[in-house]
Amino acid sequence: MQIAIASGKGGVGKSSVAASLIYLLKDEYSLIAVDADADAPNLDLLFGVERWEEEKELIGAKVARINTSTCIRCGICAERCPYDCIKIVDGNYVVNELTCEGCGVCKLVCPVEGVITLEEVRSGIVRKTTTKYGFPLISAQLDVGRPNSGKLVTEEKEWAKRIMKEKGIEHMIVDSAAGIGCQVIASLGGADVAILVAEPTPASLSDVKRVYKVVQHFREPAYLIINKADLNPGFKGLYEFAEEEGIPIIGEIPYDRALPKSMVMLKPVVEVFPDSKASIVLKEIAEVVKEEILK
Amino acid sequence: MQIAVSGGKGGTGKSTVAINLAIALREYFDLALADLDVEAPNDHILLGVELQNEEPVHMFMPRFDYSKCIKCRKCAEVCEENAIITMRDGTPFLMPTLCSGCRACEIVCPVTGAILGGEKLMGHTYLTETPYGSPLVTGKLLEGEERAMPIVTAAKKRAKTLNKELLLVDTAAGTSNTVSKALEDSKLLIAVTEPTPLGLHDLTLILELAKLMGIEAWVVVNRADIGEKKRVEEIVQKYNAEIIGEIPYSEAIIQSYVKGEPIILTDKKEAKIFKGLAERVASYLG
């Protein structure tokens, strides 16, 4: 089974919830964890990973380069670049490699052969390790300024599937990135179930509604966890949303300083503060996950 | 002139800093705020306003006129996204979700009219008047669409046409190329971070990006009372950046966030932090 944990919005506690659930399920189930937030991975930090057993560079991104010595400075490339990435710097047309999408239009429209080339560059790194808790973790890190194409996430999931096959692992738990873009779509695509994490704020509600539309697109059953549930007592938006869409709420985690503290200690909260208010609810959620989802 | 608020990880307080700073900077500049976190735009919610003046962002998508297509496969070969597949006889088909709208296929097609300009709706931009004197431009990616770049580009363009003295952009989390696009042309980057190991990891990346882009970087430490501030100082020093503000963990800020009432407009002590920040920014920009 493949479970994707998503939130739409960053900072609502998705990774803390994911780390705790993985921690609580690891002994009873064979699982592999995939950190699909290639832009800001942090499950490795939360599981105390110190070294990677295997790393793979992903060369996939392309960027255009202009040879300034043969360039005739006609400016057609800058005019036709769909993303406005070519600028004049000190009299020369220069591609901003940090915003280039690598589509190659500039090369096609350039009237002089060979002035513009498309160069393959590294888009990031995918890596694998076995955590000290015994389960394997796949993670990735996008290089600064590269397109977050979702290809890294797809690569991670492919790798995870190979390991599952080799080792007879049954479940994959994917901690997806914030947002609703390609990396999130790659995280949710192929999942059997989505667990959404939201906090009772208008911003989080707005974002979780957006990610839920992506979940619906894949026709995956969804569950909702409300984090910092007592943060904003009068706020009913999340409950209304869950009711309207028929999404079961499988837990309401109260605001608990044990959570940020555990993040600073780089451990799942259920490991370091097992008796905290948040941990008690997280354990209840893990039971529901076992009975409802992993049954 | 343009400045940016960014900061690696989601949930560190970028939008909170951006909206409060935007309001505080009214005293010094005629400005606009642009929310370029197009996957999860929230500045309007924090400002307590409804999005207005919706404009669609369309992207080019090839449509094939099969009566004219000579099945030469050039369109498929040139497509860097592999969005065009061909049948055994060379008939092209488009996989719309992969298409980036770059028009390379149209450029290489040897037959006039064989590729027609179709359009696909990618999202919207909004221009919202706020009760705070400065307009808000928002980019919003359509759910199910993968490509944020066209929306970031369109929203930024729309913000620039306002011709304000100062444009303050609020970026998405992370350091991918859509964040670079949002940061482009900024004179100053204000990176918001938390003093936690996760925050530090992401702060390093955003400062690295600022360095690569040649943008002066300042750091605001949010929830400064949890975690290790010393580590933030080390990273900041390494990148020749500067910590110019600290925001404690604050119930008042959470409440203002939840209610959509910017804290800067209250007489709470947190408001002073943002006022001080605005003063620093104004004197730096001159």
Side-chain angles (χ1 to χ4, degrees):
Chain A
M1 165 150 312
Q2 197 183 119
I3 301 174
I5 303 179
S7 67
K9 186 173 154 47
V12 298
K14 179 170 46 62
S15 294
S16 325
V17 169
S20 284
L21 288 181
I22 291 166
Y23 180 86
L24 293 168
L25 297 171
K26 68 178 169 42
D27 293 333
E28 251 174 275
Y29 298 87
S30 63
L31 59 85
I32 183 164
V34 175
D35 188 343
D37 188 355
D39 228 342
N42 47 31
L43 277 189
D44 57 316
L45 296 171
L46 286 174
F47 289 127
V49 172
E50 280 165 8
R51 52 175 283 274
W52 298 99
E53 288 163 6
E54 221 181 316
E55 290 183 312
K56 228 179 0 186
E57 285 189 336
L58 200 74
I59 315 285
K62 284 188 181 166
V63 295
R65 288 197 183 128
I66 301 174
N67 183 344
T68 47
S69 60
T70 51
C71 170
I72 57 165
R73 295 174 180 75
C74 64
I76 294 174
C77 57
E79 223 170 84
R80 297 291 290 273
C81 171
Y83 303 114
D84 233 352
C85 301
I86 301 177
K87 297 271 154 71
I88 301 174
V89 180
D90 302 328
N92 291 316
Y93 284 93
V94 175
V95 178
N96 184 345
E97 291 189 11
L98 298 170
T99 58
C100 176
E101 292 258 290
C103 67
V105 162
C106 51
K107 184 181 161 199
L108 291 172
V109 298
C110 178
V112 187
E113 181 76 28
V115 167
I116 301 182
T117 46
L118 270 189
E119 317 263 332
E120 284 207 325
V121 289
R122 205 179 94 149
S123 52
I125 194 160
V126 183
R127 54 218 174 161
K128 178 220 146 192
T129 197
T130 308
T131 61
K132 62 184 175 199
Y133 305 101
F135 61 84
L137 168 72
I138 306 280
S139 176
Q141 176 75 59
L142 182 76
D143 284 352
V144 166
R146 292 291 173 233
N148 199 345
S149 65
K151 282 180 193 149
L152 275 179
V153 175
T154 306
E155 181 68 29
E156 286 184 271
K157 285 172 77 170
E158 294 288 316
W159 199 348
K161 279 182 205 155
R162 283 200 298 273
I163 295 172
M164 289 170 83
K165 220 173 193 176
E166 272 165 38
K167 303 203 167 156
I169 294 172
E170 279 176 273
H171 306 291
M172 186 198 303
I173 299 184
V174 181
D175 183 14
S176 97
I180 57 164
C182 47
Q183 73 282 20
V184 178
I185 290 174
S187 301
L188 290 168
D192 297 293
V193 164
I195 297 181
L196 305 176
V197 182
E199 58 179 27
T201 64
S204 177
L205 174 64
S206 162
D207 295 337
V208 80
K209 277 183 177 170
R210 280 161 67 70
V211 82
Y212 180 64
K213 284 201 182 158
V214 181
V215 172
Q216 279 178 308
H217 175 82
F218 289 117
R219 297 163 197 263
E220 289 160 5
Y223 298 86
L224 178 66
I225 294 174
I226 304 181
N227 193 19
K228 304 174 201 164
D230 48 357
L231 179 76
N232 187 10
F235 188 78
K236 297 278 172 274
L238 279 175
Y239 301 99
E240 286 163 12
F241 161 66
E243 177 150 1
E244 272 164 34
E245 302 291 346
I247 307 169
I249 296 174
I250 56 168
E252 298 179 43
I253 307 167
Y255 180 77
D256 185 345
R257 297 240 22 186
L259 252 163
K261 265 194 219 158
S262 70
M263 295 292 269
V264 174
M265 294 162 76
L266 291 177
K267 294 250 167 72
V269 67
V270 288
E271 181 183 5
V272 280
F273 301 110
D275 301 322
S276 64
K277 288 188 292 180
S279 293
I280 290 165
V281 178
L282 280 161
K283 285 182 209 165
E284 289 166 8
I285 294 171
E287 289 307 314
V288 178
V289 171
K290 285 178 198 174
E291 282 161 31
E292 298 274 326
I293 301 173
L294 297 171
K295 59 180 183 254
Chain B
M1 201 160 39
Q2 180 188 308
I3 62 171
V5 177
S6 189
K9 205 176 144 44
T12 46
K14 279 188 296 291
S15 297
T16 300
V17 170
I19 61 134
N20 283 294
L21 190 58
I23 295 172
L25 279 170
R26 282 181 314 181
E27 271 193 43
Y28 308 90
F29 301 100
D30 179 27
L31 83 158
L33 174 63
D35 188 352
L36 302 182
D37 184 1
V38 303
E39 290 184 43
N42 287 324
D43 286 358
H44 61 289
I45 299 174
L46 271 59
L47 287 167
V49 292
E50 298 270 341
L51 292 176
Q52 302 159 359
N53 298 311
E54 178 177 282
E55 272 179 14
V57 180
H58 289 292
M59 197 177 78
F60 168 85
M61 246 186 24
R63 267 195 313 124
F64 305 106
D65 182 341
Y66 292 113
S67 68
K68 291 185 181 151
C69 173
I70 56 165
K71 301 175 179 146
C72 67
R73 301 175 200 257
K74 285 199 169 122
C75 55
E77 281 160 19
V78 78
C79 180
E80 287 294 336
E81 302 292 340
N82 302 316
I84 299 175
I85 49 166
T86 53
M87 307 282 283
R88 202 171 290 167
D89 71 347
T91 308
F93 283 99
L94 179 76
M95 294 194 278
T97 52
L98 295 179
C99 176
S100 76
C102 73
R103 292 178 183 265
C105 50
E106 187 193 41
I107 294 165
V108 297
C109 179
V111 184
T112 314
I115 291 186
L116 303 162
E119 270 189 342
K120 166 159 114 157
L121 181 68
M122 295 297 292
H124 298 88
T125 64
Y126 300 83
L127 172 58
T128 309
E129 291 308 324
T130 70
Y132 313 110
S134 36
L136 167 71
V137 174
T138 306
K140 199 170 175 190
L141 180 70
L142 213 60
E143 295 91 348
E145 285 305 332
E146 305 205 2
R147 292 173 185 282
M149 189 61 102
I151 312 294
V152 173
T153 310
K156 204 164 172 181
K157 222 171 232 171
R158 192 168 183 190
K160 281 188 172 172
T161 57
L162 299 172
N163 266 323
K164 295 286 185 183
E165 224 179 318
L166 181 68
L167 175 63
L168 174 61
V169 306
D170 181 14
T171 82
T175 51
S176 73
N177 66 344
T178 53
V179 175
S180 334
K181 187 80 215 168
L183 292 178
E184 195 174 41
D185 303 326
S186 295
K187 199 174 170 193
L188 175 68
L189 162 78
I190 298 172
V192 185
T193 189
E194 287 176 333
T196 62
L198 307 181
L200 295 171
H201 170 257
D202 298 334
L203 176 65
T204 310
L205 295 176
I206 191 76
L207 292 180
E208 182 69 37
L209 182 59
K211 191 176 108 186
L212 283 172
M213 298 185 75
I215 302 172
E216 165 92 16
W218 291 359
V219 174
V220 171
V221 186
N222 195 13
R223 303 184 190 105
D225 39 359
I226 46 169
E228 302 169 75
K229 224 192 71 203
K230 216 172 154 298
R231 293 289 320 281
V232 180
E233 282 160 7
E234 283 165 25
I235 291 168
V236 165
Q237 225 165 34
K238 188 180 154 206
Y239 283 95
N240 279 323
E242 197 183 341
I243 297 179
I244 47 121
E246 284 179 31
I247 305 168
Y249 174 82
S250 154
E251 287 289 334
I253 289 182
I254 296 173
Q255 283 315 313
S256 74
Y257 178 88
V258 162
K259 295 207 173 81
E261 294 164 0
I263 192 125
I264 185 91
L265 298 170
T266 68
D267 48 12
K268 299 239 161 45
K269 62 179 191 302
E270 290 87 349
K272 284 200 194 78
I273 300 172
F274 293 107
K275 282 180 185 150
L277 193 57
E279 211 180 300
R280 287 282 304 260
V281 171
S283 73
Y284 174 76
L285 296 177

